[in-house]
């Protein structure tokens, strides 16, 4: 069956070339000559049944330059083209790929098509590049019907032999071709010699109309506890109403030092309508407020448990919730599993 795929190139190592200053992204029309999937489309099994459309983000960037404005640009490009394609691929730098994947998952309501993010650890100009395999795999997931694969109607990440739910993923290596992992959630699919889908985990697609909710607040901070951390600077910015939300990466299962400074922080947050989205700094596992007496300070209605959410999904969800909902509704939405981001 014919599939149509829209590919958005945003930059990243995938398309980078060496310069005196280091690696920088190059233009798509140079890259495309290195991609056998497009150059020899007829040679590859079923690739001749795919219609590709390409666009490049303006400007193309190292993904360390991605921000909410870029997430909005990407989302709007997809939203504008949504009705005309079966699937979407976003080629993205790996450094902040998990943030963009998480942000997109919250922005899109009622998604019923695959949006696949991919990238690579070595540029496609390198003889040992992983970019060709990663992109080819992404083509299989986005162009599922040409390969007789079931649809994965989710924002997902295709990297090495993994298809991961985007808002469950983290970058785990700067070097390994297995660059991403989803420590609290099984793979949506495995891209081995055979492609195997974990059908019981995949969202079945929504019946309501697809929509876009693009606003993000940047009035947030991401705070990782460490032994001896003094929260006085944090208390002062809360009291001065400079922030509306804190992702607090607690110890283990949701633990904090038992001292008056942390109690003062919670009181300041309650008074100034600042939400604390509490997560764990362990990559694997969840927080359970109440399991240890050391989590007692977090028993407050300004604190929401992030359960087993990743740090990337917690931050983007908090930015998105503050950007779109009044204070009274934020607690509820943060504690709900809105896009499969937490269990
Ligand atoms: N610095 C690069 C980027 O995120 C790293 C990569 O793509 O692997 O754009």
């Amino acid at each position: 069956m014919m599939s149509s795929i829209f590919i958005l190139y945003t930059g990243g190592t995938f398309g980078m070339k060496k310069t005196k200053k280091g690696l920088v992204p190059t233009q798509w029309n140079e890259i495309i000559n290195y991609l056998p999937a497009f150059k020899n489309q007829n040679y590859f099994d079923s690739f001749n049944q795919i219609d590709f459309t390409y666009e490049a983000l303006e400007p193309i960037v190292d993904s360390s330059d991605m921000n909410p404005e870029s997430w909005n640009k990407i989302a709007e490009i997809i939203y504008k083209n949504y009705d005309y394609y079966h699937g979407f691929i976003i080629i993205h730098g790996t450094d902040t790929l998990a943030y963009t994947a998480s942000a997109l998952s919250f922005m899109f309501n009622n998604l019923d098509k695959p949006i696949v993010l991919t990238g690579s650890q070595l540029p496609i100009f390198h003889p040992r590049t992983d970019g060709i395999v990663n992109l080819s795999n992404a083509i299989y997931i986005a162009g599922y019907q040409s390969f007789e694969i079931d649809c994965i109607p989710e924002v997902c990440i295709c990297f090495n032999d993994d298809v991961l739910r985007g808002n469950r993923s983290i970058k785990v290596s700067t070097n390994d071709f297995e660059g991403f992992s989803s420590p609290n959630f099984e793979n949506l699919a495995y891209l081995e010699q055979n492609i195997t889908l974990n059908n019981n985990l995949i969202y079945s697609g929504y019946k309501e109309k697809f929509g876009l909710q693009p606003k993000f607040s940047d009035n947030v901070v991401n705070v990782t506890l460490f032994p001896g951390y003094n929260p006085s600077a944090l208390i002062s910015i809360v009291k001065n109403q400079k922030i509306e939300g804190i992702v607090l990466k607690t110890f283990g299962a949701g633990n904090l030092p038992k001292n008056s400074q942390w109690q003062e922080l919670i009181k300041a947050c309650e008074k100034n309508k600042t939400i604390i989205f509490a997560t764990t700094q362990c990559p694997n596992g969840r927080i359970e407020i109440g399991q240890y007496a050391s989590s007692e300070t977090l028993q407050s209605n300004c604190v929401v448990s992030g359960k087993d959410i990743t740090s990337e999904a917690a931050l983007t969800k908090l930015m998105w919730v503050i950007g779109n909902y009044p204070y009274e509704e934020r607690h509820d939405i943060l504690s709900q599993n809105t896009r499969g981001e937490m269990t």
Side-chain angles (χ1 to χ4, degrees):
M1 250 176 113
M2 260 333 259
S3 305
S4 52
I5 299 181
F6 183 93
I7 299 183
L8 178 65
Y9 167 62
T10 71
T13 295
F14 183 96
M16 283 192 182
K17 279 193 162 168
K18 271 195 188 141
T19 68
K20 279 189 192 140
K21 290 185 176 167
L23 290 163
V24 292
T26 191
Q27 296 308 318
W28 179 251
N29 53 10
E30 268 194 70
I31 294 167
I32 196 160
N33 291 325
Y34 285 78
L35 298 172
F38 308 129
K39 244 182 107 189
N40 309 317
Q41 208 176 333
N42 288 334
Y43 175 80
F44 287 95
D45 181 30
S46 302
F47 272 36
N48 56 358
Q49 293 180 27
I50 300 181
D51 238 13
F52 292 108
T53 300
Y54 320 104
E55 193 168 316
L57 192 69
E58 186 48 57
I60 47 170
V61 289
D62 183 298
S63 77
S64 44
D65 283 323
M66 287 281 176
N67 53 36
E69 201 188 316
S70 338
W71 302 336
N72 283 342
K73 272 194 204 167
I74 294 172
E76 267 156 27
I77 292 171
I78 292 177
Y79 186 71
K80 210 172 64 198
N81 288 288
Y82 192 75
D83 290 341
Y84 310 110
Y85 298 90
H86 294 107
F88 297 82
I89 295 176
I90 302 167
I91 300 174
H92 195 289
T94 61
D95 289 346
T96 65
L97 192 147
Y99 288 93
T100 301
S102 300
L104 291 173
S105 78
F106 297 119
M107 290 160 102
F108 292 130
N109 291 317
N110 305 315
L111 185 64
D112 63 359
K113 297 182 180 183
I115 299 179
V116 188
L117 286 97
T118 193
S120 65
Q121 300 283 39
L122 284 173
I124 47 109
F125 309 109
H126 192 287
R128 291 179 55 244
T129 184
D130 51 330
I132 289 171
V133 168
N134 289 350
L135 181 61
S136 300
N137 279 331
I139 290 170
Y140 271 73
I141 300 303
Y144 59 97
Q145 41 183 26
S146 299
F147 306 100
E148 292 170 16
I149 300 172
D150 287 341
C151 177
I152 303 182
E154 298 207 21
V155 177
C156 54
I157 295 179
C158 233
F159 215 87
N160 201 30
D161 52 4
D162 299 315
V163 183
L164 308 171
R165 177 168 292 161
N167 58 28
R168 290 289 195 153
S169 306
I170 54 177
K171 179 173 176 177
V172 287
S173 178
T174 56
N175 177 47
D176 201 322
F177 288 146
E178 185 90 8
F180 287 83
S181 158
S182 164
N184 286 327
F185 199 72
E186 262 188 75
N187 279 30
L188 296 178
Y190 294 91
L191 301 156
E192 288 152 351
Q193 188 170 351
N194 296 316
I195 296 178
T196 326
L197 266 60
N198 236 335
N199 278 315
N200 57 325
L201 297 181
I202 295 169
Y203 265 57
S204 52
Y206 295 86
K207 303 281 171 290
E208 317 260 299
K209 196 173 163 7
F210 176 67
L212 175 64
Q213 230 179 326
K215 290 195 211 120
F216 289 91
S217 163
D218 58 5
N219 276 344
V220 296
V221 290
N222 197 355
V223 175
T224 306
L225 279 188
F226 58 87
Y229 179 87
N230 179 342
S232 56
L234 191 56
I235 295 169
S236 141
I237 56 174
V238 170
K239 285 187 175 165
N240 290 319
Q241 302 192 328
K242 296 268 192 269
I243 48 171
E244 292 180 88
I246 302 169
V247 171
L248 187 63
K249 292 165 79 172
T250 63
F251 298 129
N255 301 316
L256 287 185
K258 270 210 234 120
N259 64 41
S260 57
Q261 285 178 316
W262 289 99
Q263 285 156 5
E264 191 187 341
L265 173 73
I266 300 293
K267 285 214 183 79
C269 287
E270 285 167 353
K271 192 159 165 236
N272 294 286
K273 298 189 169 175
T274 303
I275 280 216
I276 295 184
F277 200 20
T279 67
T280 173
Q281 51 190 260
C282 303
N284 182 228
R286 57 190 293 118
I287 73 159
E288 302 273 359
I289 298 172
Q291 183 181 355
Y292 290 88
S294 295
S295 64
E296 199 187 350
T297 317
L298 293 177
Q299 307 269 16
S300 153
N301 54 19
C302 72
V303 177
V304 180
S305 166
K307 304 178 182 99
D308 61 352
I309 198 166
T310 63
S311 178
E312 291 83 343
L315 192 81
T316 49
K317 185 175 183 185
L318 185 62
M319 293 170 85
W320 177 76
V321 167
I322 295 175
N324 288 287
Y325 298 94
Y327 178 75
E328 298 65 41
E329 291 175 35
R330 291 176 190 167
H331 194 294
D332 257 13
I333 298 165
L334 281 171
S335 57
Q336 284 163 25
N337 176 21
T338 51
R339 303 283 193 268
E341 72 280 10
M342 56 192 195
T343 319

